[in-house]
Amino acid sequence: MRVNSLAFRLLASSSAIALVLLVSASLLLNAIFQQALEHNFDLRLKAALDGILANVALGDDNQIKLQGPVADARFALPLSGWYWQVTGPAGGSRLLASPSLLDQQLEPVPADAVRDIDGVASYSTRDSSGNLLRVMDERLKLFNQDAEYEFLVSGNFDELKAEVASFHQTLYFVMALLGAALLGAIFLQVRFSLRPLQEMQHQLNDIRGGKIELLPDHFPEEIQPVADELNLLVQSNFEIIDRARMQVGNLAHALKTPISVLTNESRNSTAPLAVKVREQLDAMRDHVNLYLDRARRAARAQAIGAVTEVEPVLQSLARTLQRINADRGLTVTVQAPAGLRFRGERQDLEEMVGNLMDNACKWAKSSVIVKAANLPRPADDARGWMLISVEDDGPGIPVDQRAEALKRGRRLDETKPGSGLGMSIITETAGMYSGGLDLADASLGGLRANLRLPSLA
Protein backbone atom coordinates (compact mmCIF):
# COMPACT_ATOMS: atom_id res chain seq x y z
CA MET A 1 0.00 0.00 0.00
CA ARG A 2 1.65 3.20 -1.19
CA VAL A 3 1.61 6.41 0.82
CA ASN A 4 -0.08 8.38 -1.98
CA SER A 5 -2.76 5.75 -2.63
CA LEU A 6 -6.46 6.17 -1.86
CA ALA A 7 -6.38 3.05 0.30
CA PHE A 8 -3.62 4.52 2.50
CA ARG A 9 -5.39 7.88 2.78
CA LEU A 10 -8.69 6.27 3.77
CA LEU A 11 -7.03 3.87 6.19
CA ALA A 12 -4.84 6.57 7.76
CA SER A 13 -7.65 9.13 8.13
CA SER A 14 -10.14 6.57 9.49
CA SER A 15 -7.55 5.18 11.90
CA ALA A 16 -6.69 8.69 13.12
CA ILE A 17 -10.36 9.46 13.73
CA ALA A 18 -10.88 6.11 15.49
CA LEU A 19 -7.82 6.77 17.68
CA VAL A 20 -9.08 10.22 18.66
CA LEU A 21 -12.52 8.79 19.49
CA LEU A 22 -11.05 5.91 21.51
CA VAL A 23 -8.79 8.23 23.51
CA SER A 24 -11.68 10.62 24.10
CA ALA A 25 -13.92 7.74 25.17
CA SER A 26 -11.21 6.47 27.55
CA LEU A 27 -10.83 9.89 29.15
CA LEU A 28 -14.59 10.30 29.43
CA LEU A 29 -15.10 6.85 30.97
CA ASN A 30 -12.25 7.45 33.38
CA ALA A 31 -13.79 10.77 34.45
CA ILE A 32 -17.23 9.17 34.86
CA PHE A 33 -15.75 6.31 36.89
CA GLN A 34 -13.79 8.71 39.09
CA GLN A 35 -16.90 10.80 39.68
CA ALA A 36 -19.00 7.73 40.48
CA LEU A 37 -16.30 6.43 42.82
CA GLU A 38 -16.15 9.70 44.73
CA HIS A 39 -19.95 9.87 44.87
CA ASN A 40 -20.22 6.36 46.30
CA PHE A 41 -17.43 7.11 48.77
CA ASP A 42 -19.26 10.25 49.87
CA LEU A 43 -22.43 8.19 50.38
CA ARG A 44 -20.51 5.82 52.64
CA LEU A 45 -19.14 8.75 54.63
CA LYS A 46 -22.61 10.31 54.85
CA ALA A 47 -23.97 7.02 56.17
CA ALA A 48 -21.23 6.91 58.80
CA LEU A 49 -21.92 10.56 59.70
CA ASP A 50 -25.65 9.88 60.06
CA GLY A 51 -24.84 6.90 62.28
CA ILE A 52 -22.73 9.06 64.57
CA LEU A 53 -25.43 11.75 64.71
CA ALA A 54 -28.01 9.16 65.62
CA ASN A 55 -25.76 7.81 68.38
CA VAL A 56 -25.12 11.19 70.08
CA ALA A 57 -26.84 11.92 73.40
CA LEU A 58 -26.65 14.59 76.13
CA GLY A 59 -25.14 13.36 79.42
CA ASP A 60 -25.98 14.25 83.01
CA ASP A 61 -23.13 16.73 83.01
CA ASN A 62 -24.78 18.53 80.12
CA GLN A 63 -22.05 17.28 77.73
CA ILE A 64 -22.64 15.28 74.56
CA LYS A 65 -21.55 11.65 74.41
CA LEU A 66 -21.98 8.53 72.30
CA GLN A 67 -24.56 6.04 73.47
CA GLY A 68 -22.56 3.17 71.95
CA PRO A 69 -19.50 2.40 69.81
CA VAL A 70 -19.51 3.07 66.04
CA ALA A 71 -20.24 -0.12 64.12
CA ASP A 72 -17.39 0.22 61.59
CA ALA A 73 -14.27 -1.37 63.13
CA ARG A 74 -11.95 0.76 60.97
CA PHE A 75 -12.70 3.74 63.22
CA ALA A 76 -10.97 1.84 66.04
CA LEU A 77 -7.73 1.10 64.16
CA PRO A 78 -5.03 3.67 64.97
CA LEU A 79 -4.17 6.02 62.10
CA SER A 80 -6.27 3.95 59.67
CA GLY A 81 -7.47 7.07 57.86
CA TRP A 82 -11.01 6.39 58.99
CA TYR A 83 -11.73 9.01 61.65
CA TRP A 84 -14.62 10.85 63.20
CA GLN A 85 -14.55 13.91 65.38
CA VAL A 86 -17.03 16.19 67.17
CA THR A 87 -15.97 19.79 67.80
CA GLY A 88 -17.64 21.97 70.42
CA PRO A 89 -19.13 25.36 69.73
CA ALA A 90 -16.77 27.30 71.93
CA GLY A 91 -13.39 27.78 70.28
CA GLY A 92 -13.72 24.64 68.20
CA SER A 93 -12.14 22.30 70.77
CA ARG A 94 -12.41 18.58 70.24
CA LEU A 95 -15.14 17.03 72.33
CA LEU A 96 -15.32 13.50 70.98
CA ALA A 97 -13.12 11.53 68.57
CA SER A 98 -12.67 8.06 67.22
CA PRO A 99 -10.00 5.84 68.80
CA SER A 100 -8.23 5.71 65.42
CA LEU A 101 -7.48 9.42 65.57
CA LEU A 102 -5.37 9.07 68.77
CA ASP A 103 -4.24 12.53 69.90
CA GLN A 104 -4.51 14.12 66.47
CA GLN A 105 -7.24 16.40 65.26
CA LEU A 106 -8.87 16.64 61.86
CA GLU A 107 -8.27 19.90 60.06
CA PRO A 108 -11.33 22.14 60.04
CA VAL A 109 -13.28 22.69 56.88
CA PRO A 110 -11.61 25.20 54.50
CA ALA A 111 -13.15 28.64 54.33
CA ASP A 112 -13.91 28.28 50.62
CA ALA A 113 -15.66 24.90 51.00
CA VAL A 114 -19.13 24.80 49.45
CA ARG A 115 -21.97 23.23 51.44
CA ASP A 116 -24.91 21.45 49.83
CA ILE A 117 -28.54 22.11 50.60
CA ASP A 118 -28.28 19.95 53.73
CA GLY A 119 -25.35 22.02 55.03
CA VAL A 120 -22.77 19.27 54.38
CA ALA A 121 -19.31 20.18 53.04
CA SER A 122 -16.83 17.74 51.49
CA TYR A 123 -13.10 18.27 51.00
CA SER A 124 -9.81 16.36 50.79
CA THR A 125 -6.76 16.48 53.06
CA ARG A 126 -3.99 14.23 54.38
CA ASP A 127 -3.27 12.83 57.81
CA SER A 128 0.07 12.51 59.56
CA SER A 129 0.68 9.14 57.87
CA GLY A 130 0.28 10.65 54.43
CA ASN A 131 -3.06 8.98 53.69
CA LEU A 132 -5.35 10.88 51.35
CA LEU A 133 -8.50 11.59 53.29
CA ARG A 134 -11.96 12.38 52.05
CA VAL A 135 -13.63 14.47 54.82
CA MET A 136 -17.30 15.24 55.30
CA ASP A 137 -18.33 18.06 57.65
CA GLU A 138 -21.77 18.94 58.99
CA ARG A 139 -22.78 21.57 61.56
CA LEU A 140 -25.87 21.06 63.71
CA LYS A 141 -27.64 22.57 66.71
CA LEU A 142 -28.39 19.87 69.27
CA PHE A 143 -30.80 19.60 72.16
CA ASN A 144 -32.32 23.05 71.63
CA GLN A 145 -28.98 24.74 72.17
CA ASP A 146 -28.08 27.90 70.27
CA ALA A 147 -24.49 26.87 69.51
CA GLU A 148 -23.58 24.61 66.58
CA TYR A 149 -21.63 21.42 66.95
CA GLU A 150 -19.34 20.40 64.10
CA PHE A 151 -19.31 16.70 63.12
CA LEU A 152 -16.47 15.47 60.86
CA VAL A 153 -16.04 12.03 59.33
CA SER A 154 -13.12 11.01 57.09
CA GLY A 155 -12.31 7.96 55.00
CA ASN A 156 -9.05 6.66 53.59
CA PHE A 157 -9.41 7.37 49.84
CA ASP A 158 -6.10 5.63 49.09
CA GLU A 159 -7.83 2.31 49.75
CA LEU A 160 -9.52 2.78 46.36
CA LYS A 161 -6.20 2.89 44.47
CA ALA A 162 -6.29 -0.83 43.76
CA GLU A 163 -9.85 -0.53 42.48
CA VAL A 164 -8.92 2.43 40.31
CA ALA A 165 -5.81 0.63 38.95
CA SER A 166 -7.88 -2.46 38.15
CA PHE A 167 -10.43 -0.32 36.32
CA HIS A 168 -7.69 1.44 34.33
CA GLN A 169 -6.10 -1.87 33.36
CA THR A 170 -9.42 -3.29 32.20
CA LEU A 171 -10.30 -0.06 30.39
CA TYR A 172 -7.00 0.10 28.49
CA PHE A 173 -7.21 -3.58 27.53
CA VAL A 174 -10.76 -3.22 26.25
CA MET A 175 -9.91 -0.03 24.35
CA ALA A 176 -6.83 -1.64 22.78
CA LEU A 177 -8.91 -4.66 21.77
CA LEU A 178 -11.61 -2.38 20.39
CA GLY A 179 -8.99 -0.32 18.54
CA ALA A 180 -7.53 -3.43 16.91
CA ALA A 181 -11.02 -4.58 15.92
CA LEU A 182 -11.83 -1.14 14.50
CA LEU A 183 -8.55 -1.07 12.57
CA GLY A 184 -9.32 -4.49 11.07
CA ALA A 185 -12.86 -3.41 10.23
CA ILE A 186 -11.58 -0.20 8.62
CA PHE A 187 -9.05 -2.16 6.57
CA LEU A 188 -11.72 -4.57 5.35
CA GLN A 189 -14.07 -1.68 4.60
CA VAL A 190 -11.41 0.16 2.60
CA ARG A 191 -10.48 -2.98 0.64
CA PHE A 192 -14.13 -3.76 -0.03
CA SER A 193 -14.98 -0.18 -1.02
CA LEU A 194 -12.01 0.15 -3.41
CA ARG A 195 -12.46 -3.27 -5.00
CA PRO A 196 -14.49 -1.84 -7.93
CA LEU A 197 -11.54 0.44 -8.77
CA GLN A 198 -9.17 -2.54 -8.72
CA GLU A 199 -11.60 -4.43 -10.91
CA MET A 200 -11.70 -1.50 -13.31
CA GLN A 201 -7.89 -1.47 -13.45
CA HIS A 202 -7.77 -5.19 -14.27
CA GLN A 203 -10.40 -4.79 -16.97
CA LEU A 204 -8.53 -1.85 -18.49
CA ASN A 205 -5.49 -4.13 -18.64
CA ASP A 206 -7.69 -6.71 -20.36
CA ILE A 207 -8.72 -4.07 -22.91
CA ARG A 208 -5.08 -3.27 -23.61
CA GLY A 209 -4.40 -6.99 -23.77
CA GLY A 210 -7.12 -7.53 -26.34
CA LYS A 211 -9.24 -9.80 -24.11
CA ILE A 212 -12.24 -7.48 -23.99
CA GLU A 213 -13.24 -4.39 -25.95
CA LEU A 214 -15.16 -2.28 -23.43
CA LEU A 215 -15.70 -1.98 -19.68
CA PRO A 216 -18.87 -3.64 -18.32
CA ASP A 217 -21.74 -1.62 -16.87
CA HIS A 218 -22.05 -3.21 -13.41
CA PHE A 219 -19.86 -0.76 -11.45
CA PRO A 220 -21.25 1.19 -8.46
CA GLU A 221 -23.17 4.30 -9.41
CA GLU A 222 -20.37 6.59 -8.15
CA ILE A 223 -17.80 5.27 -10.65
CA GLN A 224 -20.05 4.01 -13.44
CA PRO A 225 -19.92 7.45 -15.13
CA VAL A 226 -16.11 7.14 -15.17
CA ALA A 227 -16.41 3.70 -16.79
CA ASP A 228 -18.83 5.13 -19.38
CA GLU A 229 -16.43 7.96 -20.21
CA LEU A 230 -13.54 5.50 -20.55
CA ASN A 231 -15.65 3.39 -22.90
CA LEU A 232 -16.33 6.47 -25.00
CA LEU A 233 -12.61 7.23 -24.99
CA VAL A 234 -11.76 3.68 -26.13
CA GLN A 235 -14.36 3.83 -28.90
CA SER A 236 -13.07 7.22 -29.97
CA ASN A 237 -9.54 5.78 -30.09
CA PHE A 238 -10.69 2.96 -32.32
CA GLU A 239 -12.49 5.41 -34.62
CA ILE A 240 -9.46 7.72 -34.85
CA ILE A 241 -7.19 4.79 -35.72
CA ASP A 242 -9.60 3.53 -38.36
CA ARG A 243 -9.84 6.99 -39.91
CA ALA A 244 -6.05 7.38 -39.82
CA ARG A 245 -5.55 4.05 -41.57
CA MET A 246 -8.16 4.92 -44.16
CA GLN A 247 -6.57 8.31 -44.80
CA VAL A 248 -3.13 6.72 -45.07
CA GLY A 249 -4.47 4.29 -47.64
CA ASN A 250 -6.20 7.05 -49.57
CA LEU A 251 -3.05 9.15 -49.53
CA ALA A 252 -1.00 6.21 -50.75
CA HIS A 253 -3.31 5.66 -53.70
CA ALA A 254 -3.58 9.40 -54.40
CA LEU A 255 0.22 9.86 -54.57
CA LYS A 256 1.36 6.56 -56.03
CA THR A 257 -0.86 6.79 -59.11
CA PRO A 258 0.48 10.15 -60.44
CA ILE A 259 4.03 9.16 -59.52
CA SER A 260 3.65 5.92 -61.48
CA VAL A 261 2.20 7.80 -64.48
CA LEU A 262 5.05 10.34 -64.47
CA THR A 263 7.61 7.57 -64.08
CA ASN A 264 6.23 5.63 -67.04
CA GLU A 265 6.13 8.76 -69.19
CA SER A 266 9.70 9.73 -68.34
CA ARG A 267 11.01 6.27 -69.22
CA ASN A 268 10.09 6.86 -72.87
CA SER A 269 12.67 9.62 -73.13
CA THR A 270 16.44 9.68 -72.69
CA ALA A 271 16.68 13.43 -72.43
CA PRO A 272 18.55 14.87 -69.45
CA LEU A 273 15.28 16.34 -68.15
CA ALA A 274 13.58 12.94 -68.23
CA VAL A 275 16.52 11.36 -66.36
CA LYS A 276 16.35 14.09 -63.72
CA VAL A 277 12.58 13.64 -63.41
CA ARG A 278 12.99 9.88 -62.89
CA GLU A 279 15.57 10.50 -60.15
CA GLN A 280 13.27 12.90 -58.34
CA LEU A 281 10.30 10.58 -58.79
CA ASP A 282 12.27 7.72 -57.25
CA ALA A 283 13.16 9.97 -54.32
CA MET A 284 9.51 11.02 -53.98
CA ARG A 285 8.40 7.37 -54.01
CA ASP A 286 10.92 6.50 -51.29
CA HIS A 287 9.77 9.40 -49.14
CA VAL A 288 6.08 8.56 -49.64
CA ASN A 289 6.69 4.93 -48.67
CA LEU A 290 8.80 5.98 -45.69
CA TYR A 291 6.27 8.39 -44.21
CA LEU A 292 3.30 6.17 -45.01
CA ASP A 293 5.04 3.33 -43.18
CA ARG A 294 5.76 5.66 -40.28
CA ALA A 295 2.11 6.74 -40.14
CA ARG A 296 0.96 3.13 -40.20
CA ARG A 297 3.39 2.23 -37.40
CA ALA A 298 2.24 5.20 -35.31
CA ALA A 299 -1.40 4.23 -35.76
CA ARG A 300 -0.66 0.63 -34.78
CA ALA A 301 1.42 1.70 -31.77
CA GLN A 302 -1.46 3.76 -30.39
CA ALA A 303 -4.01 1.02 -30.98
CA ILE A 304 -5.60 -0.47 -27.86
CA GLY A 305 -5.78 -4.22 -27.49
CA ALA A 306 -2.93 -5.33 -29.78
CA VAL A 307 -0.89 -8.14 -28.16
CA THR A 308 1.76 -10.39 -29.72
CA GLU A 309 3.39 -13.56 -28.42
CA VAL A 310 7.13 -12.92 -28.46
CA GLU A 311 8.66 -16.41 -28.47
CA PRO A 312 7.00 -17.66 -31.72
CA VAL A 313 8.05 -14.48 -33.56
CA LEU A 314 11.67 -14.82 -32.44
CA GLN A 315 11.79 -18.52 -33.33
CA SER A 316 10.35 -17.86 -36.79
CA LEU A 317 12.87 -15.10 -37.52
CA ALA A 318 15.73 -17.26 -36.21
CA ARG A 319 14.79 -20.17 -38.48
CA THR A 320 14.53 -17.88 -41.51
CA LEU A 321 17.87 -16.16 -40.91
CA GLN A 322 19.63 -19.43 -40.16
CA ARG A 323 18.46 -20.87 -43.49
CA ILE A 324 19.57 -17.73 -45.32
CA ASN A 325 23.04 -17.93 -43.71
CA ALA A 326 23.35 -21.71 -43.86
CA ASP A 327 26.43 -21.50 -46.13
CA ARG A 328 28.29 -19.61 -43.34
CA GLY A 329 27.47 -22.17 -40.66
CA LEU A 330 25.81 -19.45 -38.58
CA THR A 331 23.74 -20.50 -35.55
CA VAL A 332 20.93 -18.31 -34.24
CA THR A 333 19.80 -19.19 -30.70
CA VAL A 334 16.62 -17.89 -29.07
CA GLN A 335 16.13 -17.78 -25.29
CA ALA A 336 12.64 -16.55 -24.47
CA PRO A 337 10.08 -17.76 -21.92
CA ALA A 338 6.73 -19.02 -23.14
CA GLY A 339 3.89 -16.61 -22.45
CA LEU A 340 5.98 -13.45 -22.86
CA ARG A 341 3.75 -10.99 -24.73
CA PHE A 342 4.50 -7.71 -26.47
CA ARG A 343 1.87 -5.00 -26.04
CA GLY A 344 1.70 -4.08 -29.72
CA GLU A 345 1.35 -5.25 -33.32
CA ARG A 346 3.10 -8.40 -34.55
CA GLN A 347 4.24 -6.61 -37.73
CA ASP A 348 6.05 -3.95 -35.68
CA LEU A 349 7.75 -6.56 -33.49
CA GLU A 350 8.88 -8.51 -36.56
CA GLU A 351 10.21 -5.34 -38.18
CA MET A 352 12.18 -4.20 -35.11
CA VAL A 353 13.62 -7.54 -34.03
CA GLY A 354 14.05 -8.71 -37.62
CA ASN A 355 16.25 -5.71 -38.42
CA LEU A 356 18.34 -6.28 -35.27
CA MET A 357 18.78 -9.98 -35.97
CA ASP A 358 19.56 -9.34 -39.64
CA ASN A 359 22.26 -6.82 -38.70
CA ALA A 360 23.72 -9.27 -36.17
CA CYS A 361 23.81 -12.04 -38.75
CA LYS A 362 25.62 -9.79 -41.24
CA TRP A 363 28.45 -9.12 -38.80
CA ALA A 364 28.54 -12.34 -36.74
CA LYS A 365 31.32 -14.86 -37.24
CA SER A 366 29.46 -17.95 -36.10
CA SER A 367 26.82 -17.21 -33.48
CA VAL A 368 23.91 -14.91 -32.71
CA ILE A 369 21.99 -15.13 -29.42
CA VAL A 370 18.57 -13.56 -28.91
CA LYS A 371 17.25 -13.23 -25.34
CA ALA A 372 13.90 -11.91 -24.15
CA ALA A 373 12.58 -11.48 -20.60
CA ASN A 374 10.32 -9.27 -18.51
CA LEU A 375 11.97 -6.42 -16.62
CA PRO A 376 11.22 -5.64 -12.95
CA ARG A 377 8.31 -3.23 -12.81
CA PRO A 378 9.32 0.24 -11.56
CA ALA A 379 7.49 1.51 -8.48
CA ASP A 380 6.36 4.67 -10.33
CA ASP A 381 5.16 2.90 -13.52
CA ALA A 382 2.02 0.77 -13.74
CA ARG A 383 3.05 -0.72 -17.09
CA GLY A 384 5.10 -3.86 -17.63
CA TRP A 385 8.27 -3.82 -19.71
CA MET A 386 10.42 -6.41 -21.49
CA LEU A 387 13.98 -6.44 -22.78
CA ILE A 388 14.94 -8.16 -26.03
CA SER A 389 18.70 -8.36 -26.51
CA VAL A 390 20.42 -9.45 -29.75
CA GLU A 391 24.16 -10.10 -29.51
CA ASP A 392 26.75 -11.48 -31.90
CA ASP A 393 30.40 -12.51 -31.91
CA GLY A 394 31.37 -10.05 -34.63
CA PRO A 395 33.75 -7.08 -34.49
CA GLY A 396 31.26 -4.85 -32.66
CA ILE A 397 31.09 -1.05 -32.81
CA PRO A 398 33.40 1.28 -30.86
CA VAL A 399 31.68 3.15 -28.05
CA ASP A 400 32.26 6.57 -29.65
CA GLN A 401 30.54 5.45 -32.89
CA ARG A 402 27.41 3.79 -31.45
CA ALA A 403 25.34 6.97 -31.31
CA GLU A 404 26.24 7.64 -34.98
CA ALA A 405 25.09 4.13 -35.94
CA LEU A 406 21.57 4.87 -34.67
CA LYS A 407 21.11 7.94 -36.90
CA ARG A 408 19.03 7.74 -40.05
CA GLY A 409 20.93 6.76 -43.21
CA ARG A 410 24.30 6.42 -41.45
CA ARG A 411 26.38 3.39 -42.43
CA LEU A 412 29.68 2.79 -40.71
CA ASP A 413 30.81 0.16 -43.24
CA GLU A 414 29.88 0.46 -46.91
CA THR A 415 31.09 -3.10 -47.65
CA LYS A 416 27.89 -4.58 -46.23
CA PRO A 417 24.56 -4.21 -48.07
CA GLY A 418 21.90 -1.96 -46.65
CA SER A 419 20.37 1.48 -46.72
CA GLY A 420 21.33 2.64 -43.23
CA LEU A 421 17.66 3.11 -42.29
CA GLY A 422 17.16 -0.07 -40.28
CA MET A 423 18.45 1.17 -36.93
CA SER A 424 16.60 4.48 -37.16
CA ILE A 425 13.37 2.66 -38.06
CA ILE A 426 13.82 0.46 -34.99
CA THR A 427 14.41 3.50 -32.80
CA GLU A 428 11.37 5.35 -34.19
CA THR A 429 9.07 2.35 -33.89
CA ALA A 430 10.22 1.59 -30.33
CA GLY A 431 9.73 5.26 -29.45
CA MET A 432 6.13 5.08 -30.66
CA TYR A 433 5.60 2.42 -27.99
CA SER A 434 7.48 4.56 -25.40
CA GLY A 435 10.36 2.10 -25.61
CA GLY A 436 13.96 2.53 -26.71
CA LEU A 437 17.10 1.01 -28.20
CA ASP A 438 20.67 1.15 -26.96
CA LEU A 439 23.94 -0.58 -27.90
CA ALA A 440 26.43 -2.24 -25.57
CA ASP A 441 29.23 -4.81 -25.51
CA ALA A 442 28.14 -8.41 -25.98
CA SER A 443 29.26 -11.32 -23.83
CA LEU A 444 30.22 -13.08 -27.10
CA GLY A 445 32.69 -10.31 -27.87
CA GLY A 446 30.69 -8.40 -30.46
CA LEU A 447 27.75 -6.00 -30.19
CA ARG A 448 24.61 -6.32 -28.08
CA ALA A 449 21.48 -4.40 -29.04
CA ASN A 450 19.01 -3.92 -26.17
CA LEU A 451 15.42 -3.27 -27.24
CA ARG A 452 13.04 -2.14 -24.48
CA LEU A 453 9.34 -2.61 -25.25
CA PRO A 454 6.06 -2.69 -23.29
CA SER A 455 4.89 -6.12 -22.20
CA LEU A 456 1.65 -7.59 -20.94
CA ALA A 457 2.65 -9.07 -17.58
Side-chain angles (χ1 to χ4, degrees):
M1 187 180 298
R2 299 178 181 176
V3 176
N4 63 342
S5 65
L6 287 177
F8 179 82
R9 293 183 180 184
L10 290 173
L11 185 61
S13 59
S14 301
S15 300
I17 294 174
L19 179 62
V20 171
L21 292 178
L22 286 175
V23 172
S24 301
S26 300
L27 295 176
L28 180 62
L29 289 175
N30 185 54
I32 293 175
F33 176 77
Q34 192 78 14
Q35 184 177 4
L37 198 66
E38 292 181 4
H39 178 69
N40 290 333
F41 199 79
D42 286 347
L43 290 179
R44 291 163 60 185
L45 291 179
K46 186 65 168 62
L49 182 61
D50 291 341
I52 294 173
L53 289 173
N55 203 15
V56 171
L58 188 63
D60 297 336
D61 55 356
N62 206 27
Q63 297 293 326
I64 62 172
K65 64 179 182 178
L66 289 184
Q67 295 178 346
V70 178
D72 196 334
R74 289 176 295 183
F75 289 107
L77 297 176
L79 302 178
S80 63
W82 291 86
Y83 313 121
W84 61 265
Q85 173 182 299
V86 180
T87 303
S93 60
R94 191 178 77 170
L95 300 179
L96 298 173
S98 63
S100 60
L101 194 55
L102 300 179
D103 58 350
Q104 301 183 56
Q105 184 170 341
L106 290 175
E107 294 183 6
V109 60
D112 58 348
V114 179
R115 298 183 179 274
D116 58 18
I117 58 175
D118 296 327
V120 178
S122 298
Y123 60 97
S124 297
T125 185
R126 290 189 181 274
D127 63 5
S128 60
S129 299
N131 297 317
L132 179 63
L133 305 181
R134 181 75 173 166
V135 184
M136 186 167 289
D137 174 277
E138 185 174 4
R139 294 175 180 176
L140 294 173
K141 293 180 180 180
L142 301 177
F143 313 114
N144 297 321
Q145 297 182 4
D146 294 334
E148 289 184 334
Y149 290 88
E150 189 172 15
F151 291 81
L152 296 95
V153 176
S154 70
N156 190 349
F157 201 76
D158 285 339
E159 294 180 359
L160 300 179
K161 285 183 178 180
E163 186 176 351
V164 173
S166 176
F167 173 79
H168 286 168
Q169 183 178 3
T170 303
L171 177 65
Y172 298 151
F173 175 76
V174 171
M175 287 301 172
L177 191 63
L178 181 59
L182 284 175
L183 186 61
I186 291 171
F187 179 79
L188 293 177
Q189 182 182 13
V190 169
R191 299 291 293 180
F192 176 76
S193 301
L194 295 181
R195 184 174 296 174
L197 292 178
Q198 295 177 343
E199 182 182 353
M200 179 181 290
Q201 178 186 2
H202 295 325
Q203 290 175 347
L204 286 173
N205 287 334
D206 290 340
I207 291 177
R208 290 185 61 84
K211 297 179 181 179
I212 59 176
E213 292 185 356
L214 297 174
L215 293 172
D217 57 356
H218 62 265
F219 290 102
E221 62 179 8
E222 290 82 3
I223 63 174
Q224 184 59 48
V226 179
D228 294 338
E229 292 296 329
L230 287 174
N231 284 335
L232 292 176
L233 182 62
V234 171
Q235 290 175 339
S236 175
N237 182 275
F238 285 142
E239 293 172 359
I240 291 173
I241 292 171
D242 289 338
R243 286 197 298 268
R245 288 175 176 172
M246 182 178 63
Q247 292 172 1
V248 166
N250 293 338
L251 181 60
H253 287 291
L255 293 177
K256 285 185 177 181
T257 300
I259 289 176
S260 298
V261 171
L262 292 174
T263 301
N264 292 332
E265 291 295 329
S266 64
R267 285 175 181 170
N268 297 327
S269 174
T270 59
L273 179 60
V275 174
K276 191 65 174 178
V277 169
R278 283 197 300 271
E279 291 178 357
Q280 295 303 313
L281 288 173
D282 290 338
M284 291 173 62
R285 183 184 293 107
D286 291 340
H287 280 85
V288 168
N289 291 332
L290 174 64
Y291 286 102
L292 288 179
D293 288 341
R294 178 182 295 178
R296 281 192 293 267
R297 289 196 304 272
R300 289 196 303 267
Q302 299 302 320
I304 296 177
V307 176
T308 304
E309 292 284 343
V310 175
E311 196 266 345
V313 173
L314 299 184
Q315 293 288 1
S316 176
L317 291 171
R319 287 192 297 269
T320 301
L321 290 171
Q322 193 158 315
R323 284 197 299 268
I324 293 174
N325 297 276
D327 56 333
R328 298 170 51 198
L330 190 66
T331 59
V332 182
T333 306
V334 173
Q335 300 175 9
L340 182 62
R341 291 178 292 176
F342 163 58
R343 197 191 291 267
E345 294 281 348
R346 180 186 182 95
Q347 179 180 343
D348 291 336
L349 181 62
E350 290 176 341
E351 186 172 22
M352 289 184 288
V353 182
N355 272 305
L356 291 177
M357 294 175 66
D358 183 53
N359 285 338
C361 290
K362 288 177 183 178
W363 296 100
K365 298 176 182 177
S366 61
S367 179
V368 173
I369 298 179
V370 183
K371 300 178 182 179
N374 274 322
L375 293 172
R377 179 170 295 183
D380 57 348
D381 195 341
R383 296 173 295 180
W385 294 93
M386 70 170 67
L387 183 68
I388 301 177
S389 63
V390 180
E391 54 182 286
D392 59 70
D393 59 353
I397 299 177
V399 177
D400 57 349
Q401 297 182 17
R402 289 172 184 172
E404 190 73 14
L406 297 177
K407 295 181 180 179
R408 171 175 293 275
R410 299 300 176 89
R411 299 176 59 196
L412 301 181
D413 192 338
E414 299 291 339
T415 63
K416 298 291 183 180
S419 61
L421 299 176
M423 299 298 279
S424 65
I425 290 175
I426 298 170
T427 303
E428 289 180 1
T429 306
M432 292 173 185
Y433 287 99
S434 301
L437 173 67
D438 65 83
L439 304 178
D441 294 328
S443 59
L444 298 177
L447 183 70
R448 183 176 77 243
N450 296 318
L451 181 62
R452 181 174 178 269
L453 295 173
S455 68
L456 187 65

